[in-house]
Structures are given as structure tokens and as C-alpha cells.
Amino acid sequence: MPDHPASNAPSVPPQMSAHKPNQLRGRASKTNRASRYNQLQSEPVDDGWNSEASEEFESQRAIITDVTFENPRTIINKVNSPYVAFDRSINPYRGCEHGCIYCFARPTHAHYGLSPGLDFETKLFAKPQAATLLRRELRKPRYQPRTIAIGTNTDPYQPLEKRHRIMRQVLEVLQEFQHPVSVLTKSAMITRDIDILGPMGARRLAKCMMSVTTLDPKLARHMEPRASSPARRLGAIRQLTEAGMSVGVMTSPMIPGLNDHELEELLDKAKEAGATFAGFTIIRLPLEVSDLFREWLEATYPDRAKRVLGHIRDMNGGKLYDPKWSRAAQPRSPYAKLLTARFETALRRTGLTAMHPALTTEHFRPDAGTTKPACTQLALDFDPEK
């Protein structure tokens, strides 16, 4: 995993290469489609020169993960969206090695001239100064504390966190300032930080949601190739709960015809592991994600592709993605209404709630890490001769 020197803004040339579908081991994306901003695009063509031996070699080829350091000016992102319940977030990393094929964050890589396909999984950006920036921002006189959401774009506990420990450093600062934080992840690595999250959870300063999309290890391996196995994620829920945290489960995304039949069992297993609240979303495929997902589905589950894509189009007014349908306040298609009704019924049966526990800001310490000198002012009647 080679690292590149830090820079204020990543300088990366446009990626216009494309790979033959279904050829890269350990990655979800089947191609490296050019981003929507590239003027030139390429398509792979079989000219007949590839031998069976070379094709077999290509099917076993692995692409290493490449990490570039970037030094942004700020680390707390302002969020102004009617679809989420928070107004600020932190992203320790850009791109995600988990490689979830359905990830709605993939199109963000296009802003760097990179492909939302394989580049999103293999060309990553890390922010090693995140903790320093966070400490500086929390000390600003006008800063008003509210819950910071982490993991809402890319996973803070993706594999490279084991080496770079940026999320760990961010949590240490949040604990120092007694600042509330909400974490969403699909990695059991979060249990490494129980020594921080447990005490913070006990003071209503931290909560976690574990994303569990399927109980089928094979489907998980294809759909989320480098994320923790479903069993390990459930185990993490149990450990975090025992440490005193409020833990929920996010059964997201539900994909009709692929994993939606597992919805009730997912909630049952999460409840058994100690989860107290839950959420779910239906798959949405903005911009480049539509073609990437379709390509993956046709290569990995060709027998289900037509049915799955048909359901997705029905839930999006005939398209693979339409925000007016997928982002509607109330589900508009029959299948979406059915999934919502199933989710609500399962919540009542299991005792899980859709209400996320509230965190507190009453413990916030804006002067954390600073020492004020003791007052040395002399009394008015001070006599140096005495």
C-alpha cells in the first residue's frame, strides 16, 4: 500500500482505462469506467489475441490499494440536506476499500478525474492531519457543539485505518473535548476503539450503527468484498453493547430480488446481538453507480439481473434512478411501500425502534487540552518587607 507525500489538493491524472468485466479478484467493480467529467472514454474490445492462459491469469490478477495524503484546511463538513438528521460530518478518508458495489459515494471520485469504479476502491485519500484540524476547530470561540456524524460517506474503519489510525486519533480528540459523535460502519474493527467508545457511550456522547446488508457470506463477499463478514459485524454489535454503547443496525440497502427477503431475519439477529434501534433504505443508484451496479449484477448474478433491475426501475418511475422517487418522503411504488410496511412490522415484533437515541452536548469542554496559569495578581495591601 504505497503512500504519497501530503499535498493540499490531490493531483491525479484522469483514468480512462477500462478492464474486462469480471476479471479482478477481491474487487466489486468490474470495470474502471471513466468519470462523467472526462472528455475521452474507452471501452474494452476483445480482438481475439488473448489466449485462454492469459485470460486465466487476468482473472487472478489483483490491484493494490494506492493511498495519497491530503491536507484540507478544515475537517468538519457542513451538511445541509433535508434527508439526514445531522448538520456536520467528518470523513477521515476519500474512497473506500470495502468496495461495496452499490455505494452512493462512488460518484464523488469523478471530481478528482478518477473513476467511480475500480479507482474508488483502489485509489484512496487519507487525511493524516484530521485530529489536529479537529482540535483547532473545536477550540474556536464561536463553535457550537452538535453531534458529528462519521461514516455517512465512506467507512472510517475501512482496512487502511488499521495502518493509518486516523479515526482512532479523531475519537481521542472527541473524547478529550467530550464531544458527541455518531459512527456508521460495516467493519468489526470498530471494536478496537471500545476503550474510547464505551465510556463515551455511557455518558451519552457516542452511539453506533452497524451496517448489515445480508447474512449470506457469499453474497456479502461479492457485494462488499473487503468489509467484515456478517457474523463479525453481529459480533461487534454484541461487544459494543456490552461496553455500554447504544448500538443500532442499518439494513441498508435493501435490494429487491437480491437481499430484501432477509430483512426480518437481519433485524432478528441484530436484536439478539443487542441492537436497540434500526434503520433501512432501499437501493439508490445515482450517476455512474447505475452502470456499475448493472454491470456487476449481470456478471455475478445473471439469473437474477433482469428481475432485480426490473424492480429497481419500478421503484424509480421506470428509471434505474430518479431522486423524485427514491428520495420521496413517502414510498411511491408498491414494492417500496411493501418493504416499508415489512420493516415497520418487524420493528414492532422485535421491540426495536426507529428512533435514534439522542446524544448530549452538556459535557462539552471547549478548553480541553489547555492549561490556564494560576492567578498571580497581588493583594492591594501587599508589603514586600513582610
Side-chain angles (χ1 to χ4, degrees):
M1 186 188 297
D3 295 331
H4 297 289
S7 60
N8 290 326
S11 177
V12 185
Q15 301 297 303
M16 293 177 290
S17 61
H19 294 282
K20 189 175 180 179
N22 202 25
Q23 78 180 51
L24 296 170
R25 176 168 49 86
R27 304 293 181 178
S29 298
K30 301 306 176 187
T31 60
N32 211 26
R33 291 177 174 271
S35 80
R36 59 191 178 279
Y37 298 120
N38 287 3
Q39 295 181 346
L40 300 177
Q41 298 193 23
S42 63
E43 292 289 340
V45 176
D46 185 359
D47 57 8
W49 284 87
N50 290 328
S51 65
E52 292 183 5
S54 64
E55 289 181 358
E56 183 178 355
F57 171 77
E58 285 295 315
S59 68
Q60 299 301 316
R61 186 163 66 90
I63 293 181
I64 63 171
T65 300
D66 187 73
V67 183
T68 297
F69 290 155
E70 65 171 325
N71 292 323
R73 295 182 179 179
T74 60
I75 196 64
I76 300 178
N77 309 306
K78 295 181 180 179
V79 180
N80 183 19
S81 172
Y83 305 117
V84 296
F86 54 87
D87 69 351
R88 63 198 68 182
S89 67
I90 291 177
N91 297 308
Y93 304 100
R94 296 183 190 271
C96 189
E97 198 173 3
H98 281 162
C100 305
I101 189 58
Y102 51 74
C103 183
F104 62 82
R106 284 180 175 273
T108 60
H109 248 44
H111 296 290
Y112 297 93
L114 294 170
S115 170
L118 286 166
D119 284 347
F120 180 79
E121 306 173 35
T122 60
K123 296 185 182 299
L124 310 180
F125 301 95
K127 304 173 185 179
Q129 299 301 315
T132 300
L133 293 170
L134 178 60
R135 183 175 283 107
R136 181 193 306 166
E137 292 174 45
L138 296 183
R139 284 179 179 160
K140 290 182 178 180
R142 294 186 179 181
Y143 180 78
Q144 295 296 318
R146 289 186 183 175
T147 299
I148 292 177
I150 306 181
T152 57
N153 194 40
T154 57
D155 203 308
Y157 286 105
Q158 57 181 288
L160 75 162
E161 165 64 15
K162 186 174 182 180
R163 174 180 179 182
H164 293 283
R165 299 174 67 86
I166 298 174
M167 178 60 175
R168 171 78 184 191
Q169 295 165 21
V170 166
L171 288 178
E172 288 171 345
V173 174
L174 293 173
Q175 183 184 42
E176 177 185 349
F177 281 80
Q178 294 291 283
H179 192 292
V181 60
S182 174
V183 182
L184 173 63
T185 182
K186 52 170 54 76
S187 173
M189 194 192 306
I190 189 176
T191 58
R192 177 202 64 186
D193 296 333
I194 277 182
D195 60 317
I196 297 176
L197 292 169
M200 290 186 71
R203 303 195 75 191
R204 293 197 300 124
L205 288 169
K207 62 183 176 182
C208 169
M209 288 199 82
M210 183 63 65
S211 174
V212 188
T213 53
T214 179
L215 297 172
D216 181 351
K218 183 178 179 181
L219 175 58
R221 190 164 55 250
H222 286 310
M223 192 164 58
E224 309 153 341
R226 299 200 175 194
S228 297
S229 68
R232 292 191 63 206
R233 292 183 226 179
L234 293 172
I237 292 177
R238 184 172 292 105
Q239 292 182 57
L240 292 166
T241 301
E242 292 172 351
M245 282 196 74
S246 293
V247 185
V249 61
M250 177 62 79
T251 54
S252 171
M254 285 289 100
I255 306 172
L258 195 62
N259 70 341
D260 63 313
H261 63 284
E262 298 185 69
L263 177 60
E264 288 81 2
E265 189 177 4
L266 282 169
L267 294 174
D268 287 341
K269 294 295 184 182
K271 175 67 175 180
E272 291 174 10
T276 57
F277 59 103
F280 99 107
T281 62
I282 299 171
I283 189 169
R284 57 188 182 93
L285 304 171
L287 301 170
E288 292 93 342
V289 186
S290 294
D291 285 338
L292 290 166
F293 180 80
R294 175 187 52 76
E295 194 171 60
W296 170 85
L297 186 64
E298 291 173 347
T300 310
Y301 294 99
D303 56 325
R304 306 189 200 181
K306 184 177 180 180
R307 177 189 175 194
V308 172
L309 295 174
H311 280 309
I312 292 175
R313 289 190 178 95
D314 287 343
M315 292 191 296
N316 286 272
K319 305 176 183 178
L320 284 180
Y321 179 68
D322 186 338
K324 294 179 181 179
W325 286 68
S326 67
R327 289 293 204 176
Q330 297 295 328
R332 298 173 61 177
S333 71
Y335 210 97
K337 291 178 181 178
L338 176 61
L339 278 174
T340 301
R342 288 173 53 195
F343 176 74
E344 293 172 348
T345 301
L347 290 188
R348 290 192 294 270
R349 178 175 54 79
T350 59
L352 292 166
T353 176
M355 295 294 293
H356 294 208
L359 300 180
T360 182
T361 60
E362 62 180 324
H363 306 302
F364 180 61
R365 299 170 51 202
D367 59 346
T370 62
T371 56
K372 296 182 178 180
C375 180
T376 58
Q377 181 176 341
L378 301 178
L380 294 177
D381 59 351
F382 174 73
D383 185 349
E385 298 297 329
K386 292 183 179 180

